Amino acid sequence: MCNTYKLRCITCGKLFEPSPTLYTCDKCGPRYGTIEVVYDYDKIKLKKSQFNKCGDISQFKAILPIKEYPIRQKVGNTPLLSFKNFYGVKNVIFKYDGTNPTGSYKDRATAIAISKAYEYNFDTIYCASTGNAASSLAGLTTTTKLKTFIFVPSNIPIAKLAQLVVYGANILKIDGNYDTAFDISMKIGSKLNWYSRNSAINPYLLEGKKTGAMELIVQLDFNVPDVVFVSVGDGTVISGIFKGFYDFYKLNLTNKIPKIIGVQAEGADAVAKTFEKGRPYTPFDIQPNTIADSISVGKPRDVIKACKYVEKSKGKFIRVSDIEIQKAIFELAQKTGIFAEPAGATAFAGFKKALSQKFISKNESIAIFITGNGLKDVNPIKNNIKIKKIPPKLEEVLKYIEVIK
Amino acid sequence: MCNTYKLRCITCGKLFEPSPTLYTCDKCGPRYGTIEVVYDYDKIKLKKSQFNKCGDISQFKAILPIKEYPIRQKVGNTPLLSFKNFYGVKNVIFKYDGTNPTGSYKDRATAIAISKAYEYNFDTIYCASTGNAASSLAGLTTTTKLKTFIFVPSNIPIAKLAQLVVYGANILKIDGNYDTAFDISMKIGSKLNWYSRNSAINPYLLEGKKTGAMELIVQLDFNVPDVVFVSVGDGTVISGIFKGFYDFYKLNLTNKIPKIIGVQAEGADAVAKTFEKGRPYTPFDIQPNTIADSISVGKPRDVIKACKYVEKSKGKFIRVSDIEIQKAIFELAQKTGIFAEPAGATAFAGFKKALSQKFISKNESIAIFITGNGLKDVNPIKNNIKIKKIPPKLEEVLKYIEVIK
């Protein structure tokens, strides 16, 4: 396994030695000072033949900052679906992470956080989350020796609590909003010496998230797509996906890095705003409002990294409306068979918008990351269902069929 | 691909040549006369090395009654989780089918039904269902040329409709109960020359369902477990699982058939009743009442086959209460990380009951089929969630943690 890595502040570039309690740069603070894991690529010799199309994410351990991998469930090895002449585009590939153990891309990050908690001998791990990060942590710790605490805001919907409760996580429902829950989680974690799986704060999560890109490349026989679409909330998934392409490129396993397009909901476009204002990147905070709850983020915590990485890939950010997201859920399901949660379908909505704006060309090969399972949140669909009752008579049913045909 | 098969009535043994319109035995009727697919095992030469641990179900095509396989999504290749000294039992294996494209075991059957519809040049496929069969058919036909019609009863819950609507299936909501919808679907299907994916009626569904057992055997390097637990509603899944083990045994790829234990909900135990009354098997019809809706069946349509096959395997049927099923959902999630729908967790509840009744020994190797994803139905969990709000103060949170620790 790989131990030759250092940690580096994304803003000031200060280098740190890995330590169990180092989360963000002491000088730049938790917002500007999120941390990158830096490898000495010259010392890591990898061959394409070392990887295979049915391994879980532990197949990438030589380029992951872990010593052991105590995960029982199969994280990764998620399906890839390719379509030729899709919306007129020569080659469109979907990487669908809804088949991960708890149904989302977040399992990749959680698996690495758990591995680090083992390495550093923590007995408890925690996060503040209302969504996929929480259910992922609750689900993947079930078969480990770790105790798990999840901090949730008081307005968390009951359906989201269900997955946490069924996995038996300790739930701390804080009388306040998400930011209140987040802040108190950090204080408690530090006081009680618990390991943090808080997004962006923990530098190793991104290393887990990079495995989706690496897996895509392996499944494509090391052919790199030209353009990649990823939905963006906090900015960690898109940063992780860039890092996966970057690591493979630096290891001479591929010959380029794709253009990465971040797709945000119009009502939660804080990262896009920061990116478009340009360097030096300064976080915008907003009041988020979108149906895509997994990316409904007002105060993105990995915004600096997301902007720098997307710039490096020569990509950009685009926005889609809630109506476009809702339409994308249906269209994606009906064209590909993939039932995505709203945040997952957002990337597909972005692809359609980029196409209509002629930002991508029909000869480019496109990859679209679908980050979560639609069964996680059926509410955006439920609200518009109106289906007529038909009397149970043959003639009546035949008449109805004639009409809808 | 394999074309050397005949069809045989499960009751009178009459042989039929395959035909696009043959569903059940003309003499014995749709209840007693469900059909088995019979192979000439001597003519099929298969080697263990032909199979692999990451193929979809099309890897079994030499022992499937299909000519082509037009499915784009990856059906099968579902995870296997092994536990040593689990509840004191030496070796317990879970085969979890919640990662199939639409989240349930039914995708295996649907894939074969679609393949047959292609072979026979149908342009439309249909089923009557309120649950997993319907969403499976709606989901897997999206990327095919087939039109899809789903007959549902008028009391179908909106959450179940959501998955059908998102996939764009044509929904025929019949003013009546499930049996009314089923009966009218058969009449319409026959009148309009549509292909039927109705459970038990279509003999090829079971051939799809056998692939779960075959995949398990391949994943276990052709070691057959001693005892297998399967939840039972209509009786087709358990029949299919027997058939998978049986085919592999008859092809000399394995050396035995495991004991198969069917697990039914106490409130929907029609198959168990029929089995226990003994030969000649005569269907019992009941008014079903259980929280495990995927197996809440009053008039099981594959009851004869299920009874004969379980008998042949030297297995039996056991019953579990709704309280045991509900408890099993939580216990399964917390011990294995698998969040199962109620019908899925029923098989695990059966394992626990068999253990407490000393019906299985601690030295036997056990396989438990978990047939559906818990995200499909969070209602049985939602109802009992009560979590106290904690004031957002460090001292208060610490006090609460002290109490729950």
Side-chain angles (χ1 to χ4, degrees), chain B residues 99-295:
Chain B
T99 64
N100 268 320
T102 75
S104 87
Y105 202 87
K106 297 293 171 79
D107 285 340
R108 298 177 181 274
T110 301
I112 301 304
I114 291 172
S115 302
K116 294 306 285 185
Y118 265 66
E119 179 186 333
Y120 291 144
N121 283 313
F122 284 93
D123 59 10
T124 304
I125 190 166
Y126 75 96
C127 75
S129 164
T130 60
N132 292 335
S135 55
S136 174
L137 186 61
L140 293 189
T141 48
T142 52
T143 51
T144 70
K145 63 186 181 193
L146 297 175
K147 284 198 276 293
T148 309
F149 284 82
I150 316 275
F151 295 76
V152 301
S154 55
N155 64 349
I156 183 172
I158 197 90
K160 294 210 154 190
L161 268 178
Q163 224 185 333
L164 308 182
V165 171
V166 84
Y167 287 131
N170 297 295
I171 298 166
L172 301 169
K173 188 167 159 186
I174 304 300
D175 194 2
N177 63 16
Y178 172 72
D179 287 326
T180 311
F182 184 92
D183 291 343
I184 211 151
S185 82
M186 294 297 289
K187 283 181 198 150
I188 295 275
S190 151
K191 188 163 180 71
L192 298 180
N193 195 30
W194 292 354
Y195 194 59
S196 175
R197 191 243 174 268
N198 275 332
S199 253
I201 298 299
N202 182 324
Y204 303 111
L205 300 177
L206 196 143
E207 295 296 303
K209 286 174 182 172
K210 80 182 178 188
T211 62
M214 291 175 164
E215 211 173 276
L216 175 84
I217 294 297
V218 173
Q219 287 172 315
L220 294 175
D221 297 311
F222 292 86
N223 293 306
V224 182
D226 298 312
V227 186
V228 166
F229 288 84
V230 187
S231 65
V232 178
D234 248 336
T236 47
V237 170
I238 196 168
S239 301
I241 285 171
F242 170 84
K243 186 73 177 347
F245 290 124
Y246 181 80
D247 279 358
F248 263 17
Y249 174 71
K250 296 293 279 183
L251 290 164
N252 292 314
L253 292 166
T254 53
N255 60 6
K256 68 172 178 182
I257 292 168
K259 234 187 270 180
I260 296 179
I261 313 294
V263 187
Q264 291 213 286
E266 278 176 0
D269 63 345
V271 181
K273 278 204 172 83
T274 299
F275 184 79
E276 286 158 9
K277 186 143 178 293
R279 285 187 173 247
Y281 293 122
T282 313
F284 268 86
D285 291 346
I286 55 163
Q287 280 296 331
N289 178 23
T290 169
I291 55 159
D293 65 327
S294 301
I295 52 166

Side-chain angles (χ1 to χ4, degrees), chain A residues 54 72 82 173 175 390, chain B residues 54 72 82 166 173 175 390:
Chain A
C54 57
R72 299 290 299 266
S82 295
K173 189 167 161 185
D175 193 3
I390 316 163
Chain B
C54 58
R72 298 291 298 266
S82 295
V166 84
K173 188 167 159 186
D175 194 2
I390 317 165

Side-chain angles (χ1 to χ4, degrees), chain B residues 312-325:
Chain B
K312 213 164 176 170
S313 84
K314 302 190 173 61
K316 67 170 194 172
F317 287 86
I318 56 181
R319 294 169 180 80
V320 291
S321 69
D322 274 9
I323 290 170
E324 287 167 325
I325 293 170

Side-chain angles (χ1 to χ4, degrees), chain B residues 303-336:
Chain B
V303 55
I304 307 293
K305 230 182 258 168
C307 290
K308 285 194 171 177
Y309 286 180
V310 166
E311 183 193 330
K312 213 164 176 170
S313 84
K314 302 190 173 61
K316 67 170 194 172
F317 287 86
I318 56 181
R319 294 169 180 80
V320 291
S321 69
D322 274 9
I323 290 170
E324 287 167 325
I325 293 170
Q326 191 133 13
K327 224 179 124 191
I329 299 172
F330 286 79
E331 214 168 306
L332 178 66
Q334 293 172 25
K335 299 274 185 193
T336 69

Side-chain angles (χ1 to χ4, degrees), chain A residues 54 72-74 77 79 81-83 99 102 139 142-143 149 151 154 158-159 161-163 165-168 170-175 180 184 187-188 191-192 194 329-330 333-339 373 375-376 378 381-382 385 387-394 397-398 400-401 404-405, chain B residues 54 72-74 77 79 81-83 99 102 139 142-143 149 151 154 158-159 161-163 165-168 170-175 180 184 187-188 191-192 194 329-330 333-339 373 375-376 378 381-382 385 387-394 397-398 400-401 404-405:
Chain A
C54 57
R72 299 290 299 266
Q73 290 107 308
K74 193 161 190 171
N77 184 37
L81 275 101
S82 295
F83 294 85
T99 64
T102 75
T142 52
T143 52
F149 284 82
F151 295 77
S154 55
I158 197 90
L161 268 178
Q163 224 185 334
V165 170
V166 82
Y167 288 132
N170 297 294
I171 298 165
L172 301 169
K173 189 167 161 185
I174 305 299
D175 193 3
T180 311
I184 211 152
K187 283 182 198 150
I188 295 275
K191 187 161 180 74
L192 298 180
W194 293 353
I329 298 172
F330 287 78
Q334 292 170 26
K335 297 274 185 192
T336 71
I338 297 172
F339 178 23
N373 195 315
L375 292 172
K376 288 212 162 214
V378 295
I381 295 143
K382 264 163 55 178
I385 300 179
I387 294 167
K388 212 188 128 186
K389 252 189 230 174
I390 316 163
K393 296 203 177 81
L394 198 62
V397 180
L398 286 170
Y400 184 85
I401 290 167
I404 63 172
K405 242 179 172 176
Chain B
C54 58
R72 298 291 298 266
Q73 291 108 310
K74 193 160 192 174
N77 185 36
L81 275 101
S82 295
F83 294 87
T99 64
T102 75
T142 52
T143 51
F149 284 82
F151 295 76
S154 55
I158 197 90
L161 268 178
Q163 224 185 333
V165 171
V166 84
Y167 287 131
N170 297 295
I171 298 166
L172 301 169
K173 188 167 159 186
I174 304 300
D175 194 2
T180 311
I184 211 151
K187 283 181 198 150
I188 295 275
K191 188 163 180 71
L192 298 180
W194 292 354
I329 299 172
F330 286 79
Q334 293 172 25
K335 299 274 185 193
T336 69
I338 297 171
F339 178 23
N373 195 315
L375 292 171
K376 287 212 162 212
V378 294
I381 294 143
K382 265 162 59 176
I385 299 179
I387 293 167
K388 212 187 131 185
K389 253 189 230 172
I390 317 165
K393 297 206 175 78
L394 199 63
V397 180
L398 286 170
Y400 185 84
I401 290 168
I404 63 172
K405 242 178 171 174

